[in-house]
Amino acid sequence: MGRIRIRLENIKEGMILATDVYNASDQMIFPRKTVLTDKHIEKLALYHISAVTVVKEEEETDRKAEQTIEKEQKKELEKEPIKQMLDQTAEQVQYALDNFIKDLNNREALETMVQSVNSLLKQMQSAGDLFDLLVQVQGDSDLIYQHSLNVALVSVMLGRWLRFSKEDLEVLLVAGLLHDIGKLLIPKNILLKPYKLDDKEYHIIKSHTVRGYHLIKNMDLDERVKLTVLMHHERCDGSGYPMGAGQEKIASFAKVVAIADVYDAMTSNRSYRDSICPFDVIAQFEAEGLHLFEIEYIMTFLRNIAALYIHNKVKLSDGREGEIIMIHPNHISRPLVQIEDTYVDLSKESNIKIVKMMTAE
C-alpha cells in the first residue's frame, strides 16, 4: 500500500485518507483512515481543501506519479513561449524607456510599451504563471528595464487582488513601468557599482525619485503616476524618502508599487548578493514590514503570494526536499511541508526553514 496526494476534483467515494486533514485554522476536519463519502467530499470543498493524501495501491501510485511528471513536463513546455514573450517584452520596455527619456513627447513609445505588457499579462493564465516566470528571470532583474517590467507586473497582480477597477489597473501599470525612470538620469558608474555605495553615492541614488518626478511632472500623465514616481520609497511610519511622508500623505498607488518594488528587489539577484528565497522575503515583511506598508495591501500581498506556492517543491535548510501543502494564516512564512510520508510544520520547527524554491530544469 502507498500514499498519493490527490486534488479535490479527482477525489472519489471510497478513498481512504492517509493523513489527518486540517482547515486553514489548524482544526482537524477528518482523521486519517476515514473512508470518504460524498458528504465528506462536500465538506472538503466547503472548507476550501484543495487536495488530500489518500491510501492507494503501489501500482496505481506509480502510474499516477508518472502521469503527474508528464503533466508537469507538459506544463513547463507550455510556459516556454510565455517566457520568451517576457524576454521580448523586457527588450521592448528598454527600447521604449530609452526613447521616452530622449523625447518626452514620444507618446507612441509609452503606448507601445503599455500594449506589449498588457499582451504579456493576457497570455498568463494565473498569478502563479507570473511568479513562476519571475523566479526564472531573477538573474536579469539587476537592470532597470527588467526590474521596471517586473514591478509593473507584480503591481498589477496586487491591484487585482485588491479588486482595483480595470481603469485603475491601467494607470497602475504605467506607474509601475515608470516608477524608477529617474534612475536613468543617475550616472551608470554609481547605478551599477558592484559593491557598497558610500554616503555621497547613496544620496545620489536616492535622488532618483525627485529627478524622475521633475522629468515627468509637466507631462500629460495621470497624477497618480507622477506621485508614484516621487513617493514609491516613502514608508507609512515616516522613515522613507524623499519627504519622510507618513501613511496618510502617501499616494495609494505609490503604496502598491512600493511593495512590488521591494519584493522584486529582494527576490532578484544583485551584483552584491544572490536572490533571497520568497519565503525569506515573506518572513522579512512579517517581521519588519507590517508598519512600513499599508497593512491591507501588505497582508493581501503576503497571503496571496504564499498561497501561490502550495504544492511547490522546496528545499529545506537541513537538505531535505519536499512539497508545501498548507499555509498557516498566522505564520505565512512558515508553511507545512510534506516529505514523502512525513510532515514538517515549520511554524513549530524554528530551526528549519525553506532555502530554495525548486523549479524545473
Side-chain angles (χ1 to χ4, degrees), residues 106-118:
N106 188 350
R107 297 289 300 187
E108 183 179 351
L110 179 60
E111 291 168 3
T112 299
M113 179 168 59
V114 171
Q115 288 173 3
S116 65
V117 178
N118 272 325

Side-chain angles (χ1 to χ4, degrees), residues 119-235:
S119 296
L120 176 62
L121 282 166
K122 288 178 182 177
Q123 291 299 313
M124 295 178 180
Q125 297 181 2
S126 67
D129 287 343
L130 168 61
F131 286 91
D132 281 350
L133 286 172
L134 294 188
V135 167
Q136 295 178 47
V137 297
Q138 288 173 347
D140 300 325
S141 298
D142 212 1
L143 303 174
I144 295 170
Y145 311 104
Q146 182 70 57
H147 174 65
S148 296
L149 173 57
N150 293 355
V151 169
L153 293 170
V154 174
S155 295
V156 170
M157 204 58 63
L158 176 52
R160 288 178 180 175
W161 290 333
L162 292 168
R163 302 188 183 281
F164 283 9
S165 69
K166 182 178 179 181
E167 293 74 17
D168 283 350
L169 290 175
E170 287 290 329
V171 177
L172 184 59
L173 174 60
V174 178
L177 287 169
L178 298 184
H179 82 284
D180 261 353
I181 195 168
K183 282 188 176 178
L184 296 177
L185 305 176
I186 302 293
K188 286 189 176 180
N189 65 310
I190 296 177
L191 192 63
L192 303 178
K193 187 175 179 179
Y195 43 92
K196 188 175 181 180
L197 301 171
D198 61 34
D199 290 343
K200 182 178 179 181
E201 291 167 334
Y202 183 55
H203 180 75
I204 292 173
I205 286 285
K206 288 172 66 175
S207 72
H208 77 276
T209 56
V210 175
R211 293 185 189 218
Y213 175 73
H214 284 302
L215 182 70
I216 67 170
K217 68 177 183 180
N218 295 321
M219 292 186 62
D220 181 23
L221 289 170
D222 191 293
E223 192 66 23
R224 292 171 292 181
V225 173
K226 301 174 186 179
L227 290 177
T228 296
V229 171
L230 178 65
M231 305 179 79
H232 65 276
H233 281 285
E234 299 288 358
R235 298 294 180 258

